[in-house]
Amino acid sequence: MAWSNPMNTSNQYIKYQIGVHLISQNVANNTSNVYVYVKVYRTNTGYNTSGTGTVYCRINGVLYSADINSNENGIVLFTRNMNITHSVVGQKTLDCSAWINHSRFSSNEQAYSENLPNIARATTPVVSPNPIVLGNELTISLPRASSAFTHNMRYVCGNLSGVIAEGVGTEYKWTIPLNFASQFPKSDSGVCSIVCYTFYNGSQVGYKIVNFKVTINPGAMPPVKKMNWIDVNGYRQKYNASFIQNKSLMRFEIEAEGTLGSTIEKITFDIDGKYHSENTTGVFESLVFTQTAGEIHHKCEVVDSRGRVTTLDP
């Protein structure tokens, strides 16, 4: 409950006040339900002021009145419950005034204004689909409270941020950048945010933040860029032959890289089930061929920081 300062009457010992009491607010209707009061009281003790009259109260530009049949100390002469509509941006200053005509005293019209709490009118965006695969198109719906509202939108994804669009009305389609994946190199998904600022006639009404989940395409495996066999002793070139049993020293080089921000965690290499090596450089050397004559069977696996595996099994 908020009350005005004491207001004077023709009797120096009789004052009155206007009170405003907020009951509730309706966001959907953009209204506040309030009670408005006018009360009168004496500043001295031992006296009562009986009589009849009328109290007038102007609320939000509309004039109301009530009859006065007696005047006890501290009595409420007038009360009115009403729904007050806020401005398009959710603001409202409730202007009131009151005056009294009584058989024993009177007053001039005196004003009081009370700022009601703002009603949140900023648009909350709705994103679809959610979750969404990186590189796909996201639809951002903007159920605005007024057709005069426009929106500026930004994204935040880990350490990345930037502008999505400005001056948008009710909907916007946005393709999710692939570089968002760099913010979660050890996971197949991450959470990003859209910050939506609502504007009316160039002034910001407020903002809302919504989160959405992004995922990496299941088919995005760590690529192998190069795979080479090298005869360290040069027998292959010297004799124009294949690798020589029990003689050739081999170097096997694999060049692989992460995908969409991942890193290479492990590369494994296996020859005929007899030689097995594992490292992160992709270089395997000093492998002496001791197997019997015939084909060489080798297998390589590249594992990235998301646990995704590319297998080379010629």
Side-chain angles (χ1 to χ4, degrees):
M1 171 72 78
W3 290 97
S4 68
N5 291 326
M7 298 175 175
N8 295 325
T9 71
S10 57
N11 186 323
Q12 62 176 323
Y13 299 110
I14 299 177
K15 309 290 184 182
Y16 70 103
Q17 290 178 282
I18 302 172
V20 176
H21 180 45
L22 175 67
I23 304 300
S24 63
Q25 291 187 307
N26 187 311
V27 176
N29 293 336
N30 196 31
T31 58
S32 289
N33 183 257
V34 299
Y35 272 98
V36 178
Y37 301 89
V38 178
K39 72 175 182 179
V40 66
Y41 61 94
R42 297 189 67 100
T43 59
N44 57 351
T45 58
Y47 295 89
N48 288 325
T49 306
S50 59
T52 59
T54 304
V55 55
Y56 299 92
C57 187
R58 198 185 309 274
I59 306 169
N60 209 30
V62 179
L63 181 62
Y64 305 91
S65 64
D67 293 334
I68 303 172
N69 296 315
S70 63
N71 179 25
E72 300 294 336
N73 193 32
I75 192 171
V76 174
L77 302 180
F78 173 89
T79 181
R80 186 85 179 189
N81 176 252
M82 54 180 40
N83 290 316
I84 302 297
T85 301
H86 287 231
S87 71
V88 67
V89 298
Q91 300 174 342
K92 180 60 181 179
T93 297
L94 182 58
D95 294 321
C96 304
S97 64
W99 67 99
I100 300 172
N101 288 330
H102 191 267
S103 56
R104 303 286 298 276
F105 65 95
S106 63
S107 73
N108 295 323
E109 183 176 5
Q110 298 175 73
Y112 171 62
S113 296
E114 178 65 26
N115 291 323
L116 301 179
N118 289 348
I119 295 177
R121 301 284 280 168
T123 304
T124 300
V126 179
V127 297
S128 178
N130 186 10
I132 184 171
V133 177
L134 288 175
N136 287 0
E137 187 176 76
L138 184 73
T139 298
I140 307 172
S141 299
L142 300 162
R144 56 189 180 181
S146 168
S147 60
F149 287 172
T150 60
H151 309 91
N152 293 352
M153 292 181 290
R154 295 181 60 84
Y155 65 82
V156 178
C157 189
N159 293 324
L160 301 177
S161 63
V163 175
I164 298 174
E166 296 182 344
V168 179
T170 58
E171 183 179 281
Y172 189 78
K173 294 185 181 297
W174 175 48
T175 299
I176 306 300
L178 290 174
N179 68 339
F180 281 12
S182 65
Q183 301 303 296
F184 41 97
K186 295 187 177 182
S187 175
D188 289 327
S189 64
V191 176
C192 303
S193 301
I194 292 175
V195 186
C196 178
Y197 301 88
T198 302
F199 287 85
Y200 174 70
N201 285 344
S203 297
Q204 184 176 311
V205 176
Y207 70 94
K208 294 288 185 179
I209 300 174
V210 295
N211 296 330
F212 63 99
K213 184 178 181 180
V214 295
T215 62
I216 295 174
N217 192 314
M221 299 297 181
V224 175
K225 299 178 65 178
K226 181 176 69 174
M227 182 173 65
N228 290 329
W229 286 93
I230 300 173
D231 183 343
V232 176
N233 293 330
Y235 292 145
R236 199 174 181 189
Q237 293 79 14
K238 183 176 181 179
Y239 298 109
N240 191 26
S242 298
F243 307 117
I244 300 175
Q245 183 180 347
N246 294 322
K247 293 293 185 179
S248 292
L249 295 176
M250 303 307 301
R251 176 192 295 264
F252 187 71
E253 296 181 345
I254 302 171
E255 183 179 341
E257 63 183 10
T259 182
L260 297 176
S262 70
T263 56
I264 298 301
E265 293 289 304
K266 181 174 66 174
I267 300 175
T268 61
F269 182 67
D270 183 273
I271 297 178
D272 284 341
K274 298 177 181 179
Y275 298 96
H276 181 81
S277 185
E278 176 181 310
N279 63 33
T280 58
T281 65
V283 177
F284 305 90
E285 59 186 353
S286 298
L287 300 172
V288 179
F289 282 6
T290 60
Q291 72 278 358
T292 58
E295 293 183 348
I296 301 170
H297 298 284
H298 65 275
K299 179 181 178 180
C300 175
E301 286 188 347
V302 176
V303 183
D304 74 358
S305 55
R306 294 190 179 98
R308 299 187 175 195
V309 180
T310 296
T311 302
L312 300 174
D313 192 5

